[in-house]
Amino acid sequence: MVVLVVATASDPASIGPAAAFLAMPGWSPGPPIPEGMESFTNGDVRLLKHERSIIAEDDLDNRWQAATGEAVTEVIFLSKHTAVSNRPALTVHPIGVPHLREDETPPQGGRPGWAALPNPRIGPWLRLMQKIAVDQGLVPEFEITLEATHHGPVTNTPTMFVEIDYQWIKDIRQQLWATAKVLWKGLGLDEGNTVGSWQGNSEKVLLGIGGGHYAPRHMDIVIKDGIWVGHLLSGYSLPMEVSPQGNGKSYSDVGGMWKHSIKVSYDATKAAFPGGQVIAHLDQNQQ
């Protein structure tokens, strides 16, 4: 069984960290992929490079197994992050578009009403990213943060995105190295222990409900309490509709996809953390 790290040559913020990761020792050419993709292997880690948008290639975990016979246990995508502020960031988040109806077209990949299994590494890697960012001198210039659940592509195994936003940074090499170091250490390739491997115990797992896209109140709990991270549903992933006959004061009066969004995100989180205690953390602030 292998861990699949995915990068795209169409995005410098994806292929840059991948190149820095591949510059570390132990890599060799991976198995041939009939779809014209390039792969590399290091222990039980596989790095896959393709040419399309990072959100355009669905089912890469299943396709890898079909092409190589190797079962994929998790997927980690490397991608760019676009911030609204003039502050570079390093972020991590689960994926899915559980709030969309079947007749809606996801604007950034995924399948309407679907939430991927969240990768258990999200919480531990957020804390690892913060430590490495401090060690590499990226703080306070960089913001190290969670993001709410959003976009695709469709996957079938625990998944997360690691994103960088470097358009304002003075030295891009510093950020690429920091991102590669998170991957190197987090996946245990430094001959240490892997970071964020779920052991099936009864620890608490946060399911974030409400709040803004960067989930600051949920992140406070994750950092202070060392809790595991499941799906993070911001306000825009909880669309509510009040029927003309109702007044919005009763549970039955409020329609929309919010209930479905919570249910599928809970189910995916529960499946990704077998034996864990999924705890809902509510944030009514939408900023």
Side-chain angles (χ1 to χ4, degrees):
M1 294 189 290
V2 299
V3 177
L4 190 62
V5 179
V6 181
T8 174
S10 68
D11 176 8
S14 177
I15 201 64
F21 191 33
L22 289 172
M24 295 175 169
W27 291 98
S28 59
I33 306 298
E35 300 174 66
M37 301 180 185
E38 191 176 10
S39 71
F40 303 86
T41 179
N42 193 338
D44 63 354
V45 178
R46 305 290 180 266
L47 192 145
L48 179 65
K49 294 198 298 185
H50 63 73
E51 303 289 335
R52 299 183 66 198
S53 165
I54 199 71
I55 60 173
E57 294 283 2
D58 288 337
D59 301 311
L60 282 174
D61 43 6
N62 286 354
R63 288 157 61 188
W64 178 273
Q65 182 170 354
T68 67
E70 295 180 332
V72 175
T73 58
E74 60 184 284
V75 186
I76 300 168
F77 289 93
L78 306 179
S79 180
K80 66 182 176 183
H81 172 67
T82 303
V84 295
S85 65
N86 291 351
R87 185 180 180 188
L90 182 59
T91 78
V92 62
H93 69 85
I95 66 171
V97 283
H99 60 294
L100 295 184
R101 300 181 185 276
E102 288 186 2
D103 60 351
E104 294 183 280
T105 300
Q108 294 181 302
R111 184 171 61 240
W114 159 87
L117 297 176
N119 195 317
R121 297 186 193 272
I122 292 172
W125 277 33
L126 173 70
R127 296 184 285 270
L128 175 63
M129 285 161 50
Q130 290 188 325
K131 181 180 185 304
I132 290 176
V134 170
D135 293 343
Q136 296 292 315
L138 296 177
V139 176
E141 182 181 6
F142 271 86
E143 183 175 16
I144 314 301
T145 183
L146 291 170
E147 289 185 85
T149 298
H150 64 302
H151 67 63
V154 174
T155 58
N156 309 277
T157 49
T159 300
M160 69 179 184
F161 263 63
V162 176
E163 300 188 1
I164 63 172
D165 180 353
Y166 59 81
Q167 58 180 312
W168 295 285
I169 193 169
K170 299 172 184 175
D171 187 355
I172 181 58
R173 293 170 299 177
Q174 193 177 20
Q175 187 179 18
L176 297 180
W177 172 251
T179 307
K181 192 170 182 181
V182 170
L183 293 166
W184 186 255
K185 187 173 182 64
L187 293 172
L189 294 177
D190 63 344
E191 298 184 356
N193 294 323
T194 181
V195 177
S197 178
W198 177 254
Q199 300 301 318
N201 50 32
S202 59
E203 292 184 63
K204 294 179 180 179
V205 182
L206 183 142
L207 173 65
I209 299 175
H213 181 72
Y214 292 100
R217 290 171 177 80
H218 303 317
M219 193 167 72
D220 283 346
I221 301 297
V222 173
I223 296 300
K224 293 176 182 177
D225 295 351
I227 198 170
W228 299 82
V229 178
H231 275 289
L232 303 168
L233 300 176
S234 66
Y236 61 75
S237 290
L238 301 166
M240 299 181 183
E241 302 168 0
V242 178
S243 67
Q245 294 77 26
N247 56 19
K249 295 182 179 180
S250 170
Y251 176 86
S252 60
D253 290 337
V254 183
M257 285 292 285
W258 65 277
K259 285 180 281 188
H260 174 86
S261 185
I262 292 173
K263 182 182 185 305
V264 299
S265 298
Y266 171 83
D267 289 344
T269 299
K270 192 74 174 174
F273 294 88
Q277 300 180 54
V278 178
I279 307 297
H281 182 253
L282 306 182
D283 180 2
Q284 296 182 350
N285 192 320
Q286 300 305 304
Q287 302 298 321

